[in-house]
Amino acid sequence: MSSPANNEIRQEIERFMAKVIKRNPGESEFHQAVREVAHSVIPFTFDHPVYRKEKILERLTEPDRIIIFRVSWEDDEGNVRADRAWRVQFNNSIGPYKGGLRFHPTVNQSILKFLGFEQVFKNSLTTLPMGGGKGGANFDPKGKSDREVMRFCQSMMTELYRHIGARTDVPAGDIGVGAREIGYLFGQYKRLRNEFDGILTGKGLAFGGSLIRTEATGYGTVYFMENMLKHRGDGLKGKKCTVSGSGNVAIYTIEKLLDLGATAITASDSGGTIHDPNGIDREKLAWIKELKEVRRGRISEYAEHFGCEYLPGKRPWVVPCDLAFPSATQNELDGEDARTLVDNGCIGVAEGANMPSDADAVSVFQEAKIMYGPGKAANAGGVAVSGLEQSQNSSRIAWTRDEVDGKLNKIMDDIHEQCVIYGGADDGYVDYVNGSNIGGFVKVANAMVGYGIV
Ligand code: NDP
């Protein structure tokens, strides 16, 4: 990057980022997500000046609106609690806002804005008509009884219901929001509105949910990795994989790896990592599901039960592997972790989580030219099947498991193809960061140009 043209592009990126940082003080996760996109999209807009003239990226980094509200509820001891909730409606240029709700004590506006911003690009990549949004609360469901979680969800929906709708905004689950929470939220919405409508996805099968939605993010991430490998003339069979997390995404990543002949040798939670060199087989995976979904226990119990190594306070990236699947949370893999992975022979990373690799880690992967599938491409299977759930709800039909899985597989192929179109280089290397950022940008940008200045 030293020609006059490249210097101009670099200066433009720095000017643009300076404005974003000034307008959104203290929102480091949001800055990080925007910077990554700016590095891909600003050079592209130099070749497509209409997007610069119409200030598309400036408009795209400003959410349509953010709703912030108090959620008051009562715990089992009769104490009054007050938490804060948000819904970030980021951009609805190509469809109703769509994106999950996160319940975690670390939730803040910066995190929800980074997630909502990434969601705009991700949803565009799926080829389905969905805009981007995200929401959540700083409520911690860990250690709460089912009744406490229910009272929180009911109180939250008592405000949220005014702002969502099948044609407006359709939330789903994310960290801390699974089948139980979606059930309580939907039950309260139905009571308030007296309408049975597809206003949430990830619903139970008895009330409008789609087969494969629970599995979709993990399955889709593995399908994406399979595509990256195939593009290099390789395959999943026999590969040893490290997986972080032990929640929804991690569990179904491990399951699909088993289906396709690979083995996961780690899982983790916020307490530490288990390392099982023999591999997490189906029986052990069923045990993890029960541990996490029913008993809501800690992953350290796996090491005690199956007699394997537990690494307290550690992440899985110290364990040598062929492929890595970060599936827990943002910034869980830094530059040093990335160097360790590469030095230990890792040839590919597919992100089940959103922005799990920090900027240094991404640079390490790109310099080493290993396959690196960023979350907005690799984990788009979850929201894609949410889109399919919406289609089934509005046409009042239910597709079979094979039908939904087939559609998910095809969508992940199409996302990979778009990444190759926008991120492929002459030497055969695919820059999936550029590919997904530009691929996701074009459709939304063209819609915004079409609408004029709104
Ligand atoms: P879950 O709540 O089911 O599981 C989250 C897992 O990550 C748990 O094992 C949790 O451990 C761990 N974790 C969460 N926060 C931290 C932290 N700060 N440090 C270490 N570990 C942590 O969430 P999901 O599996 O649904 O989501 C995981 C990731 O995937 C998130 O980044 C989410 O945004 C992303 N994603 C999810 C989709 C979905 O369909 N669910 C769709 C697309 C992306 P512990 O229990 O100890 O907190």
Side-chain angles (χ1 to χ4, degrees):
M1 262 237 199
S2 61
S3 69
N6 284 342
N7 280 339
E8 196 189 337
I9 292 172
R10 199 167 40 206
Q11 282 165 10
E12 171 87 7
I13 293 172
E14 287 319 314
R15 261 198 310 273
F16 174 78
M17 282 312 302
K19 278 194 210 153
V20 168
I21 291 166
K22 191 164 177 212
R23 231 178 22 234
N24 303 280
E27 298 187 344
S28 58
E29 293 86 359
F30 181 58
H31 305 162
Q32 184 183 339
V34 173
R35 184 179 288 281
E36 190 216 89
V37 167
H39 273 271
S40 302
V41 166
I42 290 180
F44 178 76
T45 62
F46 270 73
D47 294 330
H48 301 82
V50 62
Y51 301 133
R52 283 159 59 75
K53 178 169 166 278
E54 298 296 334
K55 295 271 190 294
I56 298 296
L57 199 54
E58 283 80 351
R59 288 198 268 151
L60 201 45
T61 46
E62 196 60 51
D64 289 350
R65 70 190 64 77
I66 301 177
I67 300 135
I68 309 178
F69 54 99
R70 183 186 66 244
V71 182
S72 307
W73 58 283
E74 194 178 327
D75 68 20
D76 287 345
E77 278 74 50
N79 302 306
V80 176
R81 305 283 197 107
D83 287 306
R84 183 178 295 171
W86 292 257
R87 186 70 185 162
V88 180
Q89 296 183 330
F90 220 105
N91 188 294
N92 67 352
S93 295
I94 61 169
Y97 306 105
K98 182 90 198 84
L101 295 172
R102 176 176 292 191
F103 291 172
H104 197 272
T106 58
V107 163
N108 59 36
Q109 189 160 300
S110 169
I111 289 176
L112 295 178
K113 279 172 69 178
F114 114 66
L115 289 164
F117 178 68
E118 292 227 318
Q119 197 83 45
V120 175
F121 294 78
K122 182 189 306 192
N123 293 2
S124 164
L125 280 170
T126 66
T127 70
L128 302 175
M130 299 183 290
K134 198 81 190 188
N138 58 7
F139 169 74
D140 187 359
K142 244 185 248 144
K144 304 283 189 305
S145 70
D146 286 351
R147 285 285 197 257
E148 287 177 324
V149 172
M150 181 189 78
R151 286 195 291 274
F152 177 83
C153 289
Q154 290 179 340
S155 180
M156 180 168 172
M157 185 53 86
T158 303
E159 173 63 33
L160 188 63
Y161 88 101
R162 299 173 220 283
H163 309 289
I164 62 175
R167 292 197 198 89
T168 317
D169 184 355
V170 184
D174 190 76
I175 290 177
V177 178
R180 173 182 62 170
E181 291 74 16
I182 294 289
Y184 293 148
L185 289 162
F186 188 70
Q188 181 72 352
Y189 178 90
K190 194 169 64 58
R191 176 159 74 165
L192 290 165
R193 278 261 196 247
N194 193 20
E195 277 174 10
F196 196 108
D197 217 351
I199 52 90
L200 284 165
T201 57
K203 298 187 290 299
L205 291 177
F207 50 96
S210 172
L211 288 162
I212 303 282
R213 175 59 190 92
T214 308
E215 297 90 334
T217 307
Y219 280 17
T221 305
V222 177
Y223 292 151
F224 193 81
M225 176 61 91
E226 193 184 28
N227 273 308
M228 293 200 292
L229 285 161
K230 230 191 266 168
H231 193 74
R232 284 200 175 184
D234 201 347
L236 273 167
K237 247 195 172 51
K239 296 283 190 296
K240 290 230 171 309
C241 308
T242 47
V243 177
S244 66
S246 47
N248 172 272
V249 178
I251 284 173
Y252 293 100
T253 295
I254 296 170
E255 183 165 293
K256 189 46 74 179
L257 286 171
L258 280 170
D259 289 348
L260 299 180
T263 319
I265 52 173
T266 65
S268 69
D269 61 20
S270 50
T273 294
I274 57 107
H275 175 207
D276 186 344
N278 297 323
I280 302 172
D281 60 21
R282 287 188 197 279
E283 188 196 325
K284 292 169 176 171
L285 183 60
W287 191 91
I288 296 179
K289 276 188 203 173
E290 206 264 336
L291 171 77
K292 287 294 176 180
E293 291 168 5
V294 182
R295 288 196 283 129
R296 299 186 188 271
R298 310 306 298 158
I299 201 68
S300 57
E301 296 171 46
Y302 178 105
E304 289 156 27
H305 189 78
F306 293 109
C308 74
E309 188 183 13
Y310 177 62
L311 309 166
K314 287 240 160 59
R315 302 184 287 207
W317 320 127
V318 290
V319 175
C321 63
D322 302 310
L323 304 171
F325 293 85
S327 314
T329 192
Q330 66 276 356
N331 293 328
E332 54 160 318
L333 197 164
D334 61 20
E336 202 184 317
D337 297 324
R339 266 182 292 277
T340 306
L341 279 169
V342 171
D343 290 347
N344 283 338
C346 175
I347 59 165
V349 178
E351 295 183 338
N354 287 310
M355 208 168 73
S357 307
D358 74 7
D360 289 345
V362 176
S363 302
V364 171
F365 296 145
Q366 288 178 323
E367 275 158 30
K369 293 210 163 182
I370 69 164
M371 293 169 286
Y372 166 61
K376 58 170 87 69
N379 71 37
V383 72
V385 173
S386 276
L388 301 178
E389 182 173 329
Q390 287 177 267
S391 304
Q392 293 170 83
N393 290 163
S394 37
S395 49
R396 299 184 186 281
I397 51 167
W399 292 322
T400 64
R401 199 180 156 84
D402 283 351
E403 278 176 303
V404 181
D405 198 24
K407 288 178 201 294
L408 167 64
N409 211 319
K410 168 82 173 54
I411 288 170
M412 298 315 294
D413 287 356
D414 291 346
I415 294 173
H416 183 267
E417 192 52 38
Q418 290 178 74
C419 291
V420 173
I421 291 170
Y422 290 106
D426 293 341
D427 65 357
Y429 175 69
V430 182
D431 182 332
Y432 288 94
V433 175
N434 275 344
S436 56
N437 286 338
I438 300 171
F441 173 78
V442 169
K443 190 167 149 200
V444 178
N446 288 345
M448 289 174 75
V449 170
Y451 294 141
I453 302 169
V454 291

